[in-house]
């Protein structure tokens, strides 16, 4: 199908809003008339450590099986003896089962708190899978404890 889209683009029939890698060797193509920009937002992971042994990992963007690696790698490098790992998820635009799997693995290896508020899509994922109750939640302005 992608080859047909490229042919139509070359003929000037279609305009692409964006083309991003998807899956193993695939492409995600968004047409110009697809409405508001729906291109995948690359994930961003940043870490800060507090003096009291708390690591805060901020996640933003879209996390799926192709992009979850960075979060897993960064968290694996953090001191597992830390007092607490706070995962700031308020800017997660999309999360699939690979993100959920990473959350559960982190929860099983160290004290973990999810900092929100939870984005709607992530909230639905955690609720539908029955995983919401596994995690301690806190709002932005609450203190880690």
């Amino acid at each position: 199908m992608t080859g047909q889209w490229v042919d139509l683009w070359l003929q000037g029939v279609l305009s692409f809003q964006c083309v991003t890698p998807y899956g193993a060797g695939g492409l995600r193509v968004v047409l110009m008339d697809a409405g508001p920009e729906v291109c995948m937002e690359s994930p961003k992971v940043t870490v800060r450590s507090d003096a009291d042994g708390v690591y805060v990992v901020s996640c933003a963007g879209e996390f799926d099986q192709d992009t979850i690696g960075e979060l897993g790698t960064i968290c694996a490098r953090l001191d597992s003896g830390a007092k607490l790992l706070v995962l700031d998820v308020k800017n997660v635009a999309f999360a699939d089962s690979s993100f959920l799997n990473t959350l559960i693995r982190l929860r099983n290896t160290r004290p973990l708190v999810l900092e929100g508020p939870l984005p709607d899509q992530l909230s639905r994922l955690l609720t539908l899978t029955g995983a919401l109750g596994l995690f301690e939640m806190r709002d932005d302005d609450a203190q880690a404890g």
Side-chain angles (χ1 to χ4, degrees):
M1 181 61 120
T2 303
Q4 293 172 334
W5 287 350
V6 170
D7 289 341
L8 291 172
W9 173 73
L10 290 172
Q11 296 169 22
V13 175
L14 291 177
S15 297
F16 298 132
Q17 186 171 357
C18 74
V19 178
T20 57
Y22 183 79
L27 293 175
R28 179 178 178 194
V29 178
V30 179
L31 302 176
M32 286 299 287
D33 62 354
E37 184 173 330
V38 292
C39 295
M40 184 164 188
E41 184 181 336
S42 295
K44 295 174 189 69
V45 179
T46 57
V47 179
R48 75 174 191 273
S49 63
D50 294 340
D52 58 357
V54 175
Y55 286 102
V56 178
V57 178
S58 298
C59 302
E62 298 184 17
F63 293 85
D64 63 16
Q65 67 178 359
D66 295 322
T67 62
I68 195 66
E70 182 180 6
L71 176 61
T73 300
I74 287 173
C75 289
R77 290 181 183 158
L78 297 177
D79 178 12
S80 61
K83 176 181 167 188
L84 181 66
L85 176 62
V86 176
L87 205 61
D88 179 350
V89 295
K90 68 179 166 284
N91 293 313
V92 172
F94 174 80
D96 71 359
S97 60
S98 58
F99 187 81
L100 176 59
N101 187 36
T102 298
L103 292 181
I104 292 170
R105 286 177 192 236
L106 289 171
R107 177 197 172 270
N108 290 340
T109 60
R110 63 192 75 210
L112 175 71
V113 171
L114 299 183
E115 183 174 271
L118 284 177
D120 290 341
Q121 190 272 331
L122 181 56
S123 179
R124 280 192 307 275
L125 174 68
L126 294 173
T127 301
L128 290 172
T129 59
L132 185 60
L134 296 175
F135 300 99
E136 181 181 338
M137 298 295 303
R138 76 171 196 189
D139 288 329
D140 264 352
D141 52 356
Q143 301 233 355

